[in-house]
Amino acid sequence: MVNWTKITTNVYVISLFASLGGITFGFDIGSNSGIIGTTQYLTYFDKPSKLLQGGINGSLSAGCFVGALFAGAIADRIGRKYTLIIASALFVIGSLLQSASNGVPMLCVGRVVNGISVGFSSMVIPLYQSEVAPKEIRGRLVAIQQWAITWGIFLAFWIQTGFAQIDGTGAFRGPWAIQAIPALILLGGLWFFPFSPRWLADQGRMDEAIQVLADIHGNGDVNHPRVQEEIKEIQAVIDFDKNVASHRYADLFKPRLAYRVFLGVFLQIWQQLTGMNIIMFYVVLMFKQAGIGGGGQSTTLIASGVNYVVNVVMTVPAILFVDKWGRRPTLIAGAFFMSLFLWLVGGLMKTGDWYIDDNPANTTFGEWVVKFDNDAKVNAIAAMVYLFVGSFATTWGPLGWIYPAEIYPLRVRAMAVSLSTAANWLFNWVLSFMVPYAMQSLRYGLYMLFAGFNFLMMVHVYLAYPETKGYTLEEMDIVFECNPRKKMDPDYLAMRLQEKLNVGVEKLDLPEPAKAEA
């Protein structure tokens, strides 16, 4: 007889199943990215202007911003699991609205509903994964979320490419309806998975929290040494939170937490300013502009689809090695290589012959396109884009979700992650709205702009971000006492942790995050 409890409390199974929420986000990106360049879509929606297309794409991000902003309070009140169930139901509704769209207004409503769902799940999934994960593999388990997003983009794009062969509205209605399938699976299956043990403990349901920890980390044995050690740390932090600290949003801006909130928010903003999600949204239009794939619909879609293959494959090294490489070196290396490849893309595109397309048969009619004197430059641009995507997938893709989910104390973790995720989606909305204009007004300068952002984020990580690899969530207060450019002394960590466990809560002297700048 199958022991379902053993399956549903396996940390890898929990992380993989929760990551179906990431697939839903990826499905929306992948299907929409391919759809907006097809003749069927352009004909039915009367060739949306750059402003209107930016609004259609940006409606998802606007919904994501709203969802992420409110997800923290909801996740604290009803739990991580129930918040994900609500997100799944919303995504099914939004997908059906998109599929049944009779015009742009209904399409945008469906995308806003999907966005609220994605805002919920993009904030809660990394939080849930980090709170059930052992410290040794926490990065790996949260990275699965990013891998799920890449799979969603990959599958949806190629599903859409297949549907593009259909004449009529089925070419885009089919992909929009199919994206509801992973949300339905998540909606039905989450009921059988455990609550976050740290959320249970924070709610005063300590017996349940101990049992979940025992099932996850101790093979069901509540007396397992690891379970006892972990619950002791959790209890010490909760005692402090209940007796000394408060659970208000205003706490996020007090000196003890403001520095960490600043790091989490800026990491998510920087993730958007890498330029990756813009390439995912507009890769078809970008490749059309550069003449990659010959400019034909099918060949351009295939050339663009290679992007998504690279994205999936190159996320695997992050899953396998992020807990060995560490957060800081991975982020710094990723920003360096992304900056390099975008400089090369911009430089190569600058050498082309730019002109206004005046062929009425082209969907790019009246827009700037570039022509090169040889195919070598076209192929080099495609190669640099693929290398950029691979660099992001191995570094900032997963780390953008891992780092903010692990640096905050329990009492404000959901609220802080909610704020950082909302910042991510706010910038996603701004960029998705503006990029169609920027592609035309800045042309090759757009890629140089994002190259500059990547260089700045490399410097910022080096100066300000401490290493968090290998520490429990309860040890993060101590981690932020140290110089971010130096590894913490293990003896000092042991001494401070012992103080937290043994000294009365009224005597606890938690670190000021500002000391991390020393």
Side-chain angles (χ1 to χ4, degrees):
M1 186 175 180
V2 177
N3 185 344
W4 289 107
T5 300
K6 196 171 183 67
I7 293 174
T8 57
T9 55
N10 180 283
V11 290
Y12 286 100
V13 175
I14 293 171
S15 188
L16 281 166
F17 195 83
S19 292
L20 284 173
I23 288 184
T24 61
F25 171 43
F27 259 47
D28 195 278
I29 291 179
S31 60
N32 200 58
S33 177
I35 284 169
I36 62 175
T38 62
T39 302
Q40 297 92 322
Y41 171 88
L42 292 166
T43 300
Y44 187 80
F45 292 102
D46 196 24
K47 291 187 178 180
S49 66
K50 291 188 289 294
L51 176 64
L52 183 57
Q53 187 56 58
I56 293 170
N57 280 355
S59 60
L60 177 81
S61 303
C64 289
F65 172 74
V66 174
L69 198 60
F70 289 98
I74 296 171
D76 271 343
R77 186 170 185 83
I78 67 175
R80 291 37 165 158
K81 184 172 82 168
Y82 287 155
T83 307
L84 283 177
I85 289 172
I86 292 172
S88 304
L90 286 174
F91 198 88
V92 172
I93 294 170
S95 298
L96 294 179
L97 286 172
Q98 285 192 75
S99 182
S101 294
N102 57 5
V104 170
M106 188 172 176
L107 173 61
C108 288
V109 170
R111 289 184 63 74
V112 168
V113 173
N114 271 10
I116 294 172
S117 166
V118 171
F120 278 13
S121 59
S122 63
M123 174 264 157
V124 175
I125 291 171
L127 183 68
Y128 182 51
Q129 291 168 323
S130 68
E131 291 186 345
V132 302
K135 63 181 181 180
E136 296 85 359
I137 58 171
R138 185 174 61 244
R140 176 182 300 177
L141 294 181
V142 180
I144 291 174
Q145 152 80 347
Q146 177 64 21
W147 198 39
I149 293 173
T150 67
W151 270 107
I153 297 171
F154 169 79
L155 292 172
F157 185 86
W158 290 107
I159 288 171
Q160 186 280 321
T161 301
F163 271 86
Q165 311 308 313
I166 299 174
D167 291 330
T169 62
F172 53 83
R173 297 192 191 280
W176 284 337
I178 287 173
Q179 68 185 3
I181 293 175
L184 282 169
I185 297 171
L186 191 63
L187 177 62
L190 270 172
W191 299 95
F192 303 100
F193 284 82
F195 291 97
S196 159
R198 287 171 169 84
W199 178 80
L200 288 171
D202 194 44
Q203 298 298 305
R205 297 159 63 175
M206 192 59 70
D207 289 343
E208 293 177 69
I210 294 172
Q211 187 57 58
V212 171
L213 285 172
D215 291 336
I216 293 173
H217 302 315
N219 201 26
D221 180 11
V222 296
N223 295 313
H224 190 283
R226 175 155 196 158
V227 174
Q228 289 297 309
E229 178 185 357
E230 194 162 358
I231 202 64
K232 187 179 180 183
E233 290 184 15
I234 293 172
Q235 184 65 67
V237 171
I238 289 176
D239 285 346
F240 173 81
D241 290 347
K242 298 294 186 185
N243 291 283
V244 179
S246 64
H247 290 66
R248 299 174 303 176
Y249 269 106
D251 293 344
L252 299 176
F253 306 101
K254 292 180 178 179
R256 294 188 178 189
L257 286 174
Y259 182 71
R260 273 184 274 181
V261 171
F262 170 83
L263 294 184
V265 167
F266 259 84
L267 193 78
Q268 293 265 316
I269 291 173
W270 283 134
Q271 191 195 49
Q272 286 300 318
L273 292 179
T274 61
M276 175 61 173
N277 278 347
I278 302 309
I279 286 180
M280 290 295 103
F281 270 122
Y282 294 109
V283 65
V284 173
L285 300 185
M286 174 193 167
F287 277 11
K288 276 187 176 181
Q289 185 182 56
I292 295 170
Q297 177 167 300
S298 297
T299 53
T300 301
L301 284 174
I302 292 171
S304 305
V306 175
N307 245 7
Y308 305 124
V309 176
V310 173
N311 201 20
V312 170
V313 173
M314 293 306 294
T315 304
V316 175
I319 296 173
L320 297 177
F321 301 115
V322 69
D323 287 309
K324 295 181 180 179
W325 294 339
R327 296 4 174 191
R328 275 174 55 84
T330 304
L331 289 169
I332 291 170
F336 171 79
F337 284 111
M338 286 189 291
S339 180
L340 174 64
F341 295 135
L342 286 179
W343 279 116
L344 292 172
V345 169
L348 286 168
M349 292 189 78
K350 185 177 185 296
T351 65
D353 180 19
W354 288 84
Y355 63 96
I356 297 289
D357 180 18
D358 57 0
N359 183 354
N362 293 340
T363 58
T364 55
F365 173 69
E367 298 180 351
W368 283 101
V369 293
V370 60
K371 184 177 181 181
F372 296 98
D373 53 11
N374 61 73
D375 290 339
K377 290 182 180 179
V378 176
N379 294 334
I381 290 172
M384 292 303 106
V385 170
Y386 297 149
L387 287 169
F388 167 83
V389 170
S391 299
F392 176 90
T394 309
T395 58
W396 279 79
L399 263 299
W401 303 110
I402 294 169
Y403 200 91
E406 63 186 7
I407 62 175
Y408 304 114
L410 177 61
R411 72 182 186 276
V412 294
R413 186 175 298 137
M415 294 186 290
V417 174
S418 175
L419 189 62
S420 63
T421 306
N424 181 299
W425 290 118
L426 176 62
F427 272 73
N428 183 287
W429 175 79
V430 171
L431 291 173
S432 64
F433 192 81
M434 296 302 298
V435 160
Y437 281 102
M439 288 179 69
Q440 294 300 310
S441 58
L442 298 180
R443 291 176 281 168
Y444 58 83
L446 177 65
Y447 308 100
M448 294 180 175
L449 176 64
F450 282 110
F453 286 143
N454 278 279
F455 179 80
L456 290 175
M457 68 182 69
M458 176 182 67
V459 175
H460 189 200
V461 171
Y462 175 76
L463 293 175
Y465 285 76
E467 180 58 68
T468 57
K469 178 193 76 170
Y471 302 113
T472 68
L473 298 179
E474 287 67 41
E475 291 169 344
M476 290 300 166
D477 282 327
I478 304 168
V479 168
F480 278 82
E481 287 184 346
C482 296
N483 187 319
R485 296 181 295 281
K486 294 183 179 179
K487 184 175 176 61
M488 181 185 292
D489 177 29
D491 292 335
Y492 178 76
L493 173 63
M495 178 192 71
R496 293 290 286 121
L497 183 59
Q498 197 61 41
E499 286 179 11
K500 290 185 69 175
L501 295 176
N502 293 340
V503 179
V505 294
E506 65 278 2
K507 296 182 180 179
L508 283 176
D509 180 25
L510 290 184
E512 293 282 346
K515 294 178 182 178
E517 296 177 297

